[in-house]
Amino acid sequence: MYKRWIRRRLPVFIFTFFIILYVDFQLRTSSLPKLSVVQHPLPRPHHRFTEQVPSSDEDAQNPASTNNSSRNGGGGNLQITDWNRRHRISQSGHVTQSKLKQEDIFIAVKTTGRFHKTRLALLLETWISRTKDHTFIFTETEDEDLSSQGYNMVVTGCQSDHSQQALSCKMSAEYDGFMASDKRWFCHVDDDNYVNPEALLSLLLAFPQDGDIYVGKPSLDKPITAHELLEGNATREVRFWFATGGAGFCLSRRLAEKMAPWASGSRFEQTSATIRLPDDCTVGFIVEKRLGISMVHCPLFHSHLENLLLIRHRHIPHQVTLSYGMFENKMNSIEVKGRFSKEEDPSRFKTVHCMLYPFTSWCP
């Protein structure tokens, strides 16, 4: 009887024993570290950054990555912190330059005499008050009051209108001013832009400091088409991306040096005349068509030609530039709450400045 009991129970014992062995094997193998080779490539030059909706306050500090809807700050899936991490890993064996500082950035502001007391005065009161030493104001009008206050005023001798020739003349002066300096980055903005110095520095630190970098935001959703003038009055069609000057853009020192054959002295205006397009288009033409280097698209720059209401309040501290102006017969500015009413601060620049620098003497 005992043997019969053993024969009945033995299959159960054997089955249970194998189950225990199988479970033990799975637990052991799953606890072992999995080794894999992960490649960390540098982003390609045509990489586009777009802004991703952060999942936390910490994530909100990281501007995000690639998407064709960069004009509107649409969704993306690659955080700039990931990009930085990849770059640091790939460059870890290289000797790096000293860390970039605010003073290493040459900020050029394009303005005109009739806006000295309005648009420019607002910038002087807000963000330029924090970047005075390395901000250079390009205008065609002498202003002894501003010069006596220590601002870097550059009188260009260009025309005061908004023509292609006048715009290219001022951009040429900006480029030459940067090349004559010891700065490491050139950043252009207009007199209706608010620049966030900390956000600008963070963005530029994301790039290899010895790289060929042209970063900004296009105003079009596709490359612009131009007709380049050739000898004998012939033309050829060219297509390229350009960063709109109304939102601002930046060039690394190394790339700016390579642009010299088409941008230094009178050459910039000559190149502009070749494609019959304004200054910002000319920069894109030189970089993409003459040098074969692609623009980096970044949604953290903003012009008055986009719907600024789309910028969320919690993302404002992380934008590189902001703007304001009339768009479709309405005042186009960001929506941000603060002590200043819209009548007192229609551009919202004062409100933003007090949000970023609450201890400013004139902030409520």
Side-chain angles (χ1 to χ4, degrees):
M1 185 173 179
Y2 177 76
K3 291 181 178 179
R4 187 184 305 166
W5 182 86
I6 289 295
R7 283 197 299 272
R8 289 178 179 176
R9 298 294 188 274
L10 186 59
V12 176
F13 290 151
I14 294 173
F15 179 76
T16 304
F17 177 74
F18 278 106
I19 289 295
I20 293 173
L21 286 178
Y22 177 78
V23 171
D24 181 71
F25 176 79
Q26 292 294 321
L27 290 173
R28 287 174 182 272
T29 56
S30 64
S31 64
L32 290 174
K34 297 181 180 180
L35 300 179
S36 61
V37 178
V38 180
Q39 294 182 340
H40 297 280
L42 285 173
R44 295 180 181 179
H46 201 59
H47 194 76
R48 292 189 182 99
F49 294 102
T50 59
E51 189 173 17
Q52 183 181 31
V53 178
S55 58
S56 67
D57 290 339
E58 181 179 352
D59 291 339
Q61 298 181 14
N62 300 322
S65 122
T66 71
N67 189 299
N68 289 332
S69 62
S70 64
R71 289 184 305 155
N72 299 324
N77 54 23
L78 175 65
Q79 295 285 345
I80 272 185
T81 48
D82 293 337
W83 190 93
N84 288 341
R85 193 179 302 115
R86 291 179 182 181
H87 175 66
R88 284 197 295 271
I89 291 172
S90 64
Q91 296 289 317
S92 59
H94 294 248
V95 177
T96 58
Q97 296 178 336
S98 58
K99 188 174 181 180
L100 185 71
K101 304 183 294 294
Q102 291 279 0
E103 308 82 65
D104 296 323
I105 306 171
F106 184 106
I107 304 178
V109 180
K110 181 180 68 182
T111 188
T112 186
R114 65 193 179 97
F115 291 140
H116 284 190
K117 303 297 184 184
T118 52
R119 290 184 179 184
L120 182 59
L122 176 62
L123 306 191
L124 299 178
E125 189 176 14
T126 55
W127 67 268
I128 292 181
S129 68
R130 306 190 67 87
T131 63
K132 182 177 179 179
D133 291 342
H134 58 101
T135 297
F136 299 82
I137 300 163
F138 290 80
T139 180
E140 78 292 332
T141 306
E142 293 276 1
D143 195 320
E144 293 183 4
D145 289 341
L146 294 180
S147 297
S148 65
Q149 295 175 47
Y151 293 105
N152 300 310
M153 303 294 295
V154 182
V155 181
T156 63
C158 302
Q159 297 176 1
S160 61
D161 57 24
H162 210 66
S163 66
Q164 171 197 323
Q165 183 179 0
L167 294 174
S168 295
C169 178
K170 283 183 180 176
M171 183 63 72
S172 176
E174 293 179 31
Y175 173 85
D176 288 341
F178 167 69
M179 294 302 291
S181 75
D182 61 351
K183 307 301 183 187
R184 293 163 61 179
W185 286 86
F186 167 78
C187 293
H188 159 89
V189 294
D190 281 351
D191 58 10
D192 59 355
N193 288 130
Y194 183 96
V195 176
N196 182 339
E198 281 71 28
L200 175 60
L201 180 63
S202 295
L203 174 68
L204 299 185
L205 280 169
F207 295 105
Q209 298 303 299
D210 57 352
D212 298 322
I213 308 300
Y214 168 41
V215 57
K217 185 175 187 177
S219 57
L220 306 175
D221 59 2
K222 60 183 179 181
I224 192 171
T225 300
H227 292 86
E228 179 186 0
L229 289 174
L230 305 175
E231 291 183 5
N233 290 326
T235 64
R236 68 177 171 188
E237 186 174 285
V238 289
R239 300 175 74 246
F240 55 91
W241 288 102
F242 74 95
T244 178
F249 62 82
C250 296
L251 296 164
S252 63
R253 163 66 67 171
R254 175 172 161 172
L255 179 55
E257 289 173 348
K258 291 181 178 180
M259 293 171 59
W262 304 278
S264 63
S266 62
R267 296 189 184 104
F268 189 92
E269 293 178 73
Q270 293 169 3
T271 305
S272 176
T274 297
I275 57 173
R276 293 172 288 186
L277 287 174
D279 53 334
D280 50 2
C281 299
T282 304
V283 173
F285 173 74
I286 295 172
V287 174
E288 292 216 338
K289 302 308 294 183
R290 290 291 186 250
L291 295 173
I293 296 168
S294 297
M295 169 190 164
V296 179
H297 298 218
C298 178
L300 303 180
F301 295 83
H302 300 280
S303 81
H304 69 278
L305 297 178
E306 62 185 273
N307 187 351
L308 296 169
L309 292 175
L310 295 177
I311 303 174
R312 297 185 180 182
H313 184 278
R314 63 175 177 154
H315 294 170
I316 289 173
H318 316 298
Q319 308 309 301
V320 173
T321 66
L322 298 169
S323 189
Y324 71 99
M326 299 303 294
F327 183 70
E328 296 180 350
N329 297 320
K330 295 181 181 178
M331 171 55 78
N332 181 28
S333 61
I334 59 170
E335 186 66 41
V336 57
K337 296 179 181 179
R339 297 289 183 87
F340 293 105
S341 67
K342 290 186 177 181
E343 289 72 27
E344 296 172 309
D345 182 27
S347 69
R348 309 311 285 155
F349 282 8
K350 290 183 177 181
T351 303
V352 168
H353 193 76
C354 290
M355 178 171 67
L356 297 176
Y357 308 104
F359 297 109
T360 301
S361 60
W362 48 261
C363 290

